[in-house]
């Protein structure tokens, strides 16, 4: 089976519970998994507790303007990470993964 590089974006604590079984299964199968996590509520603590390595890329802001700036920064960080890691598949629930896959190639 071909080894794939897979980007998984975690933007909310619920996503940790959603994606953690998949992350562990894909890692055991030998795929390269790159988890990018947004610092929101207890997301990073949950990832640590589940033994999932991650890259922190942004923090939730409290204002509309702050969130718009964060979105632009998040998109930029993810685009560069996808290029750097030669990602084949990107998963996530935010628009950033979609933006990144569109502009990364």
């Amino acid at each position: 089976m071909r080894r794939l590089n897979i980007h998984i974006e975690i933007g909310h604590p619920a996503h940790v519970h959603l994606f953690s079984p998949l992350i562990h299964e894909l890692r055991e199968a030998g795929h390269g998994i790159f988890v990018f996590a947004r610092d929101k509520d207890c997301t990073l603590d949950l990832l640590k507790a589940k033994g999932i390595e991650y890259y922190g890329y942004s923090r939730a802001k409290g204002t509309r303007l702050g969130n718009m700036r964060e979105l632009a920064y998040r998109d930029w960080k993810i685009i560069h990470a996808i290029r750097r890691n030669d990602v084949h598949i990107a998963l996530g629930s935010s628009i950033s993964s979609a933006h990144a896959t569109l502009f990364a190639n």
Side-chain angles (χ1 to χ4, degrees):
M1 177 167 57
R2 177 180 172 203
R3 181 183 188 274
L4 298 174
N5 290 328
I6 302 168
H7 163 94
I8 298 177
E9 183 184 358
I10 306 287
H12 187 276
H15 302 154
V16 177
H17 301 296
L18 176 68
F19 287 114
S20 63
L22 178 66
I23 291 167
H24 290 299
E25 189 172 322
L26 290 171
R27 279 204 173 130
E28 286 178 17
H31 297 291
I33 306 299
F34 304 97
V35 176
F36 282 74
R38 183 177 186 222
D39 187 359
K40 180 175 177 17
D41 303 327
C42 61
T43 302
L44 304 182
D45 293 332
L46 286 171
L47 288 167
K48 289 175 190 172
K50 291 187 175 277
I52 297 173
E53 294 178 30
Y54 65 89
Y55 303 95
Y57 63 82
S58 70
R59 176 174 291 184
K61 306 295 184 216
T63 65
R64 188 176 301 191
L65 180 60
N67 285 329
M68 289 177 11
R69 286 182 179 159
E70 183 213 355
L71 176 63
Y73 177 75
R74 187 176 1 153
D75 285 0
W76 180 80
K77 292 285 281 189
I78 292 173
I79 288 168
H80 289 283
I82 286 175
R83 286 180 179 161
R84 183 178 51 251
N85 296 312
D86 190 31
V87 168
H88 301 104
I89 298 171
L91 302 172
S93 63
S94 82
I95 194 69
S96 295
S97 291
H99 288 162
T101 55
L102 177 66
F103 295 111
N105 294 321

